[in-house]
Amino acid sequence: MSTALPEVLDLLGRQSHAIDGGDGPGWAATFTADGVFRSPTYPEPVRGRAALTRFAAAFAPANPRTRHVVTGTCVDPGSADELVARSTLLVVRTESDGAVRILRVTTLRDRLVRVDGRWLIAERAVSVD
């Protein structure tokens, strides 16, 4: 097991809570200043912290009762300052009757770099399973 795994899991957990709670700046802060988010769900990559902030801030109001559940995270060996993490992401929504519906199952591939002693996502590539 990579010694970075606990830090990466904490980062991904904080990131999920931020986007689900409408905390755009908090979500964007999990990326590097020039970070990139690519997903086939959206027409263009989102680049840079300002754009990432706007993207995340718009998500929660447009998707009430939606949650990001990250699981199955593994860290590929890398250097002391860069690594790749792969995870499964379930995007779920709680319906008005309390039922939980899975909206999407995706795979995340995150290239992380260490900045000022903490891991940040330099690039996220989402693929839909």
Side-chain angles (χ1 to χ4, degrees):
M1 175 176 77
S2 167
T3 58
L5 183 60
E7 291 177 76
V8 171
L9 290 172
D10 183 69
L11 173 75
L12 297 175
R14 289 178 185 281
Q15 186 180 59
S16 292
H17 286 288
I19 196 165
D20 293 338
D23 179 6
W27 187 79
T30 65
F31 286 84
T32 58
D34 60 350
V36 178
F37 173 81
R38 301 174 195 280
S39 172
T41 307
Y42 303 99
E44 297 293 327
V46 182
R47 299 175 185 275
R49 202 164 279 151
L52 290 163
T53 298
R54 288 189 302 273
F55 172 85
F59 183 85
N63 297 279
R65 299 181 318 277
T66 299
R67 298 291 178 260
H68 290 75
V69 180
V70 179
T71 188
T73 300
C74 59
V75 175
D76 295 336
S79 70
D81 296 321
E82 187 167 337
L83 57 82
V84 172
R86 293 173 291 127
S87 306
T88 298
L89 170 68
L90 299 153
V91 181
V92 301
R93 181 176 60 221
T94 303
E95 303 294 347
S96 57
D97 65 358
V100 176
R101 178 174 172 226
I102 297 173
L103 302 176
R104 280 187 297 287
V105 177
T106 65
T107 298
L108 305 178
R109 183 184 183 282
D110 293 324
R111 184 174 60 83
L112 295 105
V113 296
R114 194 171 274 291
V115 177
D116 297 329
R118 62 190 185 113
W119 292 107
L120 295 176
I121 297 170
E123 184 171 3
R124 167 167 287 169
V126 179
S127 58
V128 177
D129 297 342

